[in-house]
Amino acid sequence: MARTPTASPKGGDRPGKGRRDRGGDRDAEREDEFQDKLVHINRVAKVVKGGRRFAFAALVVVGDAKGRVGFGSGKAREVPEAIRKATEQAKRTMIRVPLREGRTLHHDLYGRFGAGKVILRSAPPGTGIIAGGPMRAVFETMGVQDIVSKSVGSNNPHNMIKATFEALKSMESPRSIAAKRGKKVGDIVGRREDAAREDAAKEA
C-alpha cells in the first residue's frame, strides 16, 4: 500500500513560522523608523603589561524625527562594534520631547551638565537649525526644524550632548501646564500669543 507523503519537520509548512516572519518584519520596521548620527569617535589606550591596548569610544544620537531622541556611548576594539554598542544604548535611553507644531520648542530652555552649558530658544518658521555639531545631531534626529541654540561652556561633545538632554527633559507642553494649574489649554496658549504680540509691538 502506498504511503501518504508527510511534510518534513524542517519544511516551511510548520505552524508558527509565518508568525515569526511577521514578527521579524515588525522589528525591521521599528529599526527603519529610527535614524542615527555618529557625533564623536575617540581612540583610547589602556596600558597593560605588554604595552598599550587601543580601543575606540563612540558617541551616537538616535531619534525617530517625531520627538523621541536618545544618546549612547560604546567602547570596543573595532569602530563598527563601538558604534553598534552606542546605538543600542541610545535606543534604550530615549526620551520623548513635546514639540510645538511638530517643528520647534514650546519655550526657551537652559541646560547644564558639568562644564557644559547650552541655551535653546524656539524660533519662527523658516529659521532652520542654528546649532553646533553635537547639538545639531540631536535636533535633526529629534525632528526639530526651527531652533536657535548656543553653547556657552565646554565644547566637549559628551558634556554638550548631556547638557542638551538636561534642557530637553525640562520641556513642558501647554497641556501639561494646564493640567497642573487646572485650566484649559486655550487659556495657556492665548496668554502666550498675547505676549508674543506685545513683544512684536514693542520692537516695531
Side-chain angles (χ1 to χ4, degrees):
M1 184 174 62
R3 294 185 177 180
T4 303
T6 57
S8 171
K10 294 184 179 180
D13 297 333
R14 285 186 303 173
K17 184 174 181 182
R19 289 195 296 270
R20 283 198 299 271
D21 290 343
R22 289 194 295 272
D25 293 340
R26 284 195 297 269
D27 293 339
E29 290 176 0
R30 292 194 197 102
E31 293 292 330
D32 292 339
E33 71 177 356
F34 295 119
Q35 51 179 309
D36 56 86
K37 286 186 177 291
L38 177 63
V39 177
H40 183 70
I41 191 159
N42 187 35
R43 192 180 75 165
V44 295
K46 180 181 180 181
V47 180
V48 295
K49 186 176 180 181
R52 288 190 296 177
R53 183 178 298 166
F54 293 99
F56 295 92
L59 178 62
V60 174
V61 175
V62 175
D64 65 352
K66 298 177 183 177
R68 292 182 63 201
V69 67
F71 76 97
S73 58
K75 186 187 295 184
R77 299 288 296 275
E78 301 293 337
V79 173
E81 182 66 14
I83 295 175
R84 185 190 65 80
K85 289 182 178 180
T87 303
E88 289 182 354
Q89 185 184 26
K91 290 178 180 179
R92 291 195 301 267
T93 60
M94 295 184 77
I95 62 172
R96 182 174 291 280
V97 181
L99 297 178
R100 181 180 178 184
E101 300 173 358
R103 61 168 186 83
T104 189
L105 307 177
H106 283 286
H107 54 84
D108 297 349
L109 299 170
Y110 173 80
R112 178 173 182 174
F113 184 89
K117 304 173 187 176
V118 298
I119 300 172
L120 314 180
R121 303 193 66 181
S122 58
T127 304
I129 299 177
I130 301 177
M135 295 163 59
R136 174 177 288 273
V138 175
F139 302 139
E140 287 180 349
T141 55
M142 189 172 64
V144 174
Q145 300 173 14
D146 303 297
I147 189 170
V148 177
S149 63
K150 178 68 176 177
S151 173
V152 293
S154 169
N155 60 357
N156 182 295
H158 291 265
N159 284 344
M160 289 179 65
I161 290 289
K162 292 177 181 177
T164 303
F165 271 80
E166 288 299 318
L168 293 176
K169 288 177 183 177
S170 63
M171 170 75 72
E172 287 189 294
S173 65
R175 181 174 297 178
S176 63
I177 295 176
K180 290 180 182 179
R181 297 181 181 178
K183 296 185 176 182
K184 296 180 179 180
V185 177
D187 297 337
I188 305 298
V189 176
R191 287 184 180 181
R192 182 173 64 185
E193 292 176 350
D194 293 340
R197 282 194 291 268
E198 289 178 3
D199 292 341
K202 290 178 181 178
E203 291 177 359

